[in-house]
Amino acid sequence: SGYKPPGPMEVDGCAPGEDAEATIRDTGRLFVRNLAYTAAEADLAELFGRCGDVSGVHVVLDRETKKSKGIAYVLYVVPEDALRAY
């Protein structure tokens, strides 16, 4: 069958096999997918804020419908906090 089980959290900008932790350490940014379409930026900021100070959350919206695509970017003030969330 074509089913592939989900893997660990993906990191934006990492090619398969690259060191995801190094990328997170450099950017302090996480790419989050498989979100509920109802997830709001404030909800994600509260959730991910448990691991450290979040400087920004961006939920990606469809240009035409203005509805969530189920993915978001979370940016931490301190990259080590992003690693803890990862």
Side-chain angles (χ1 to χ4, degrees):
S1 87
Y3 174 76
K4 181 179 175 186
M9 184 184 300
E10 290 184 5
V11 178
D12 184 44
C14 273
E18 283 188 18
D19 185 1
E21 290 185 10
T23 300
I24 295 170
R25 200 175 298 111
D26 289 344
T27 65
R29 182 175 64 184
L30 298 177
F31 171 73
V32 186
R33 65 182 181 159
N34 295 330
L35 294 171
Y37 295 115
T38 57
E41 290 177 351
D43 298 330
L44 295 173
E46 181 181 338
L47 177 68
F48 283 92
R50 297 175 187 170
C51 294
D53 290 333
V54 172
S55 66
V57 176
H58 174 71
V59 173
V60 179
L61 303 178
D62 181 275
R63 288 184 184 182
E64 292 181 18
T65 66
K66 305 298 184 216
K67 293 184 180 181
S68 172
K69 288 187 163 188
I71 59 176
Y73 294 92
V74 179
L75 181 62
Y76 281 87
V77 174
V78 179
E80 288 78 16
D81 294 338
L83 274 174
R84 189 171 27 257
Y86 175 68

